[in-house]
Amino acid sequence: MFDKLEALIQRFDEIMNELAEPDVANNQERFRSLMKEQSDLTPIVDAYKEYKKAKQDIEDSLAMLEEESDDDMREMLKEELSDSKKKVEELEQKLKVLLLPKDPNDEKNVIVEIRAGAGGDEAALFAAEIYRMYVHYAEGRRWKVETMEVEEIGIGGMKSVTFMISGSGAYSVMKYESGVHRVQRVPETESGGRIHTSTISVAVMPEVDDDIDIVIEEKDIRIDVMRASGNGGQCVNTTDSAVRLTHYPTGIVVYSQTEKSQLQNKAKAFALLKAKLSDIEQQQRHDAEAELRRSQIGTGDRSEKIRTYNFPQGRVTDHRINLTLYKLDKVMNGDIQEIIDACIAADQAAKLAKMNDN
């Protein structure tokens, strides 16, 4: 580990030297690449420098203890030695986490797809509530939310909704939301007061870069244009602006009507189709890499029941990490950071354990 850290320190110095060159900004692509690498390395370099200082503090305290005869001074040096040893242990763990292999998609924007599952109208109502939960969470992080596709029902529910969250590191956080979410509560339409269980599924897909080659053959696709439906402003319901794509090989159908322009809706629909095709490829790789899947905290299995929202008891339980919180109202209002942080910590712990086994 320390050989790798020394190499990273050397690389960091090389980057800083190159960035100090007066003509580096002339090549904007190279400049952005260097700034990104510098940003990625800075936390590791800072932690390693802190680690080396703590190690030096231990050596200094030990040397001073050998020479010191005053009892009060010896006691103070022993406390400093203990603090430095504790700090070294904490920094070693931090460095191990920082050196874990990064998911190449972590910095990307995400496309989130929520679908009502078992439970009829109640599932559709819950899908709309989970959508609002994610919108509140994203807004709290100053991320941009853009609806791409939605199928609503008359009572305020959503059979399905697809939206993009744009923001630094969105996928690194939102990927832990993939899976089946279950709600337990008494529906407003239930006169007998019985608790019903409904489910929705959440799929989180990284946005596909333009330079990634997802081939969509013309013969494999049908493009239909139509008038947008639902509540729209001026022009939305009076022109053929909505676009529906049907991809024959996979059976995927995507629909976009949120923009006034047919060209904009077509671009959105193709972006969504590319993300779904890329996601299918990733799922196939996930299934093939069974050992890798077992070392992750459920970030890929669409059929895995990951969380239960129990309204009568006001609790949320994440089944992957055995975490239960009694603050359902706050969670439904977008306060999900504690759950996500716990998932990230558990994922890192599992990866560290696997690394140690190897």
PDB file of all heavy atoms in Angstrom, residues 56-67:
ATOM      1  N   GLN A  56       5.654  10.376  12.586  1.00  0.00           N
ATOM      2  CA  GLN A  56       6.813  11.127  13.084  1.00  0.00           C
ATOM      3  C   GLN A  56       6.584  11.570  14.528  1.00  0.00           C
ATOM      4  O   GLN A  56       7.503  11.544  15.361  1.00  0.00           O
ATOM      5  CB  GLN A  56       7.066  12.342  12.184  1.00  0.00           C
ATOM      6  CG  GLN A  56       8.322  13.117  12.527  1.00  0.00           C
ATOM      7  CD  GLN A  56       9.593  12.276  12.396  1.00  0.00           C
ATOM      8  OE1 GLN A  56       9.815  11.645  11.374  1.00  0.00           O
ATOM      9  NE2 GLN A  56      10.415  12.250  13.452  1.00  0.00           N
ATOM     10  N   ASP A  57       5.328  11.950  14.839  1.00  0.00           N
ATOM     11  CA  ASP A  57       4.985  12.351  16.212  1.00  0.00           C
ATOM     12  C   ASP A  57       5.205  11.202  17.197  1.00  0.00           C
ATOM     13  O   ASP A  57       5.645  11.423  18.335  1.00  0.00           O
ATOM     14  CB  ASP A  57       3.524  12.824  16.283  1.00  0.00           C
ATOM     15  CG  ASP A  57       3.323  14.172  15.597  1.00  0.00           C
ATOM     16  OD1 ASP A  57       4.330  14.857  15.339  1.00  0.00           O
ATOM     17  OD2 ASP A  57       2.158  14.525  15.309  1.00  0.00           O
ATOM     18  N   ILE A  58       4.915   9.971  16.750  1.00  0.00           N
ATOM     19  CA  ILE A  58       5.138   8.790  17.597  1.00  0.00           C
ATOM     20  C   ILE A  58       6.633   8.640  17.899  1.00  0.00           C
ATOM     21  O   ILE A  58       7.035   8.436  19.054  1.00  0.00           O
ATOM     22  CB  ILE A  58       4.576   7.518  16.918  1.00  0.00           C
ATOM     23  CG1 ILE A  58       3.041   7.548  16.919  1.00  0.00           C
ATOM     24  CG2 ILE A  58       5.071   6.252  17.628  1.00  0.00           C
ATOM     25  CD1 ILE A  58       2.400   6.419  16.133  1.00  0.00           C
ATOM     26  N   GLU A  59       7.441   8.740  16.849  1.00  0.00           N
ATOM     27  CA  GLU A  59       8.899   8.606  17.026  1.00  0.00           C
ATOM     28  C   GLU A  59       9.449   9.692  17.953  1.00  0.00           C
ATOM     29  O   GLU A  59      10.282   9.412  18.823  1.00  0.00           O
ATOM     30  CB  GLU A  59       9.594   8.674  15.664  1.00  0.00           C
ATOM     31  CG  GLU A  59       9.387   7.439  14.800  1.00  0.00           C
ATOM     32  CD  GLU A  59      10.146   7.518  13.485  1.00  0.00           C
ATOM     33  OE1 GLU A  59      11.166   8.258  13.435  1.00  0.00           O
ATOM     34  OE2 GLU A  59       9.727   6.858  12.519  1.00  0.00           O
ATOM     35  N   ASP A  60       8.954  10.926  17.781  1.00  0.00           N
ATOM     36  CA  ASP A  60       9.417  12.039  18.611  1.00  0.00           C
ATOM     37  C   ASP A  60       9.030  11.825  20.077  1.00  0.00           C
ATOM     38  O   ASP A  60       9.847  12.062  20.991  1.00  0.00           O
ATOM     39  CB  ASP A  60       8.820  13.360  18.115  1.00  0.00           C
ATOM     40  CG  ASP A  60       9.362  13.764  16.750  1.00  0.00           C
ATOM     41  OD1 ASP A  60      10.384  13.180  16.335  1.00  0.00           O
ATOM     42  OD2 ASP A  60       8.762  14.645  16.108  1.00  0.00           O
ATOM     43  N   SER A  61       7.790  11.365  20.309  1.00  0.00           N
ATOM     44  CA  SER A  61       7.321  11.133  21.685  1.00  0.00           C
ATOM     45  C   SER A  61       8.122  10.021  22.357  1.00  0.00           C
ATOM     46  O   SER A  61       8.480  10.122  23.541  1.00  0.00           O
ATOM     47  CB  SER A  61       5.831  10.775  21.680  1.00  0.00           C
ATOM     48  OG  SER A  61       5.053  11.861  21.230  1.00  0.00           O
ATOM     49  N   LEU A  62       8.419   8.964  21.595  1.00  0.00           N
ATOM     50  CA  LEU A  62       9.205   7.846  22.152  1.00  0.00           C
ATOM     51  C   LEU A  62      10.623   8.312  22.510  1.00  0.00           C
ATOM     52  O   LEU A  62      11.161   7.940  23.569  1.00  0.00           O
ATOM     53  CB  LEU A  62       9.261   6.697  21.138  1.00  0.00           C
ATOM     54  CG  LEU A  62       7.983   5.871  20.981  1.00  0.00           C
ATOM     55  CD1 LEU A  62       8.092   4.924  19.788  1.00  0.00           C
ATOM     56  CD2 LEU A  62       7.695   5.057  22.254  1.00  0.00           C
ATOM     57  N   ALA A  63      11.219   9.116  21.637  1.00  0.00           N
ATOM     58  CA  ALA A  63      12.584   9.617  21.892  1.00  0.00           C
ATOM     59  C   ALA A  63      12.608  10.522  23.125  1.00  0.00           C
ATOM     60  O   ALA A  63      13.523  10.434  23.968  1.00  0.00           O
ATOM     61  CB  ALA A  63      13.092  10.367  20.670  1.00  0.00           C
ATOM     62  N   MET A  64      11.601  11.361  23.270  1.00  0.00           N
ATOM     63  CA  MET A  64      11.545  12.279  24.400  1.00  0.00           C
ATOM     64  C   MET A  64      11.263  11.533  25.710  1.00  0.00           C
ATOM     65  O   MET A  64      11.762  11.916  26.776  1.00  0.00           O
ATOM     66  CB  MET A  64      10.469  13.348  24.159  1.00  0.00           C
ATOM     67  CG  MET A  64      10.856  14.339  23.048  1.00  0.00           C
ATOM     68  SD  MET A  64       9.497  15.414  22.540  1.00  0.00           S
ATOM     69  CE  MET A  64       9.392  16.499  23.962  1.00  0.00           C
ATOM     70  N   LEU A  65      10.484  10.439  25.614  1.00  0.00           N
ATOM     71  CA  LEU A  65      10.198   9.641  26.810  1.00  0.00           C
ATOM     72  C   LEU A  65      11.459   8.998  27.365  1.00  0.00           C
ATOM     73  O   LEU A  65      11.619   8.850  28.584  1.00  0.00           O
ATOM     74  CB  LEU A  65       9.170   8.542  26.469  1.00  0.00           C
ATOM     75  CG  LEU A  65       7.689   8.876  26.713  1.00  0.00           C
ATOM     76  CD1 LEU A  65       6.794   7.796  26.127  1.00  0.00           C
ATOM     77  CD2 LEU A  65       7.413   9.038  28.202  1.00  0.00           C
ATOM     78  N   GLU A  66      12.355   8.599  26.472  1.00  0.00           N
ATOM     79  CA  GLU A  66      13.602   7.963  26.914  1.00  0.00           C
ATOM     80  C   GLU A  66      14.476   8.934  27.712  1.00  0.00           C
ATOM     81  O   GLU A  66      15.193   8.529  28.625  1.00  0.00           O
ATOM     82  CB  GLU A  66      14.380   7.454  25.690  1.00  0.00           C
ATOM     83  CG  GLU A  66      13.831   6.150  25.131  1.00  0.00           C
ATOM     84  CD  GLU A  66      14.705   5.608  24.003  1.00  0.00           C
ATOM     85  OE1 GLU A  66      15.854   6.093  23.851  1.00  0.00           O
ATOM     86  OE2 GLU A  66      14.233   4.714  23.275  1.00  0.00           O
ATOM     87  N   GLU A  67      14.373  10.216  27.348  1.00  0.00           N
ATOM     88  CA  GLU A  67      15.240  11.208  27.983  1.00  0.00           C
ATOM     89  C   GLU A  67      14.586  11.927  29.169  1.00  0.00           C
ATOM     90  O   GLU A  67      15.256  12.500  30.011  1.00  0.00           O
ATOM     91  CB  GLU A  67      15.664  12.256  26.948  1.00  0.00           C
ATOM     92  CG  GLU A  67      16.486  11.666  25.801  1.00  0.00           C
ATOM     93  CD  GLU A  67      16.757  12.684  24.713  1.00  0.00           C
ATOM     94  OE1 GLU A  67      16.349  13.856  24.896  1.00  0.00           O
ATOM     95  OE2 GLU A  67      17.356  12.320  23.683  1.00  0.00           O
TER      96      GLU A  67
END
